[in-house]
Amino acid sequence: MNLELTNPSILGPTRLSPEQMNLFVQSVNPHAIELATHYVAFGQYYGIRGDIAFAQALLETNYFRFTGIVQPEQNNYAGIGATGPGNPGAFFQTAEEGVLAHLQHLFAYAATEHLPSDYPLVDPRFHLVQRGSAPTWTALNGKWAVPGTTYGQTILNLYDRISKA
C-alpha cells in the first residue's frame, strides 16, 4: 500500500478523478449509479478526501448493490443510522443529498470547526458525533462500524484498489 495511506487524514484534497472512481465501481457492478462527481464536489467543499469517502460508500453498499439492510431508495451510501434489521437507517430525498449527508457525517468526526453553511445540514446524526474524535480513517474503527476493528483499513485497502485501477 502507498505509504501516504498508512493512516491518512479524513481531511485533505481528493486525488482521484470522478471518471476513475466511476469506472472502477462499474467494473465490479455495471449497474452502479454514478456518484463520484458528488463525492468530489462535496469533498472539495468540506475539505474531505472525497475519493476515500467514495471507497467507504462502496464498502457500505457493496459497490452500490445494496445487499444489506440499507436499500437503494434510501440514498444512504454511508449506512447512517443503520443498526440492524429493524432499523435500516436514514432516508435522503436524492442521491446528491445522500452524498452530502455522508460528507457531513465525516466532517463531524474529522473536524471541530462549525459546519460550513452553504448547504443545509441533512445528516440526522451529525450532533450525535463527538466532534473531532476521528481525524483519520483508521480512527473510525469502532466508531462508524462496531466493533469495526479494521474498518478504516478496509476502506483504505479499497481506495488503494481504486487508485491502481
Side-chain angles (χ1 to χ4, degrees):
M1 178 179 286
N2 182 331
L3 183 60
E4 179 260 331
L5 288 178
T6 54
N7 197 17
S9 173
I10 289 173
L11 300 175
T14 298
R15 295 192 168 95
L16 302 181
S17 72
E19 295 78 19
Q20 184 176 7
M21 294 156 56
N22 283 328
L23 283 172
F24 175 82
V25 68
Q26 289 172 345
S27 74
V28 177
N29 174 11
H31 305 290
I33 184 172
E34 291 193 2
L35 293 175
T37 301
H38 294 312
Y39 276 93
V40 171
F42 290 133
Q44 182 177 3
Y45 178 74
Y46 288 111
I48 290 174
R49 293 288 308 265
D51 46 7
I52 303 178
F54 182 82
Q56 182 184 25
L58 297 185
L59 174 64
E60 289 284 340
T61 64
N62 191 16
Y63 299 86
F64 302 133
R65 289 185 287 225
F66 297 92
T67 55
I69 60 172
V70 177
Q71 296 303 301
E73 60 272 11
Q74 289 178 250
N75 295 309
N76 185 348
Y77 311 110
I80 296 171
T83 58
N87 188 5
F91 283 75
F92 301 101
Q93 294 295 315
T94 64
E96 184 177 18
E97 186 177 282
V99 175
L100 179 61
H102 182 182
L103 278 283
Q104 289 176 346
H105 205 61
L106 284 168
F107 187 88
Y109 275 107
T112 56
E113 296 83 24
H114 289 289
L115 187 70
S117 60
D118 285 359
Y119 297 99
L121 176 62
V122 295
D123 171 17
R125 299 183 60 84
F126 185 89
H127 299 294
L128 301 176
V129 174
Q130 182 182 344
R131 299 295 311 282
S133 63
T136 65
W137 293 95
T138 57
L140 292 174
N141 293 350
K143 291 181 175 75
W144 197 290
V146 178
T149 55
T150 59
Y151 182 71
Q153 291 86 338
T154 304
I155 293 167
L156 294 173
N157 286 331
L158 183 50
Y159 170 80
D160 195 47
R161 288 181 46 217
I162 299 168
S163 70
K164 292 177 179 172

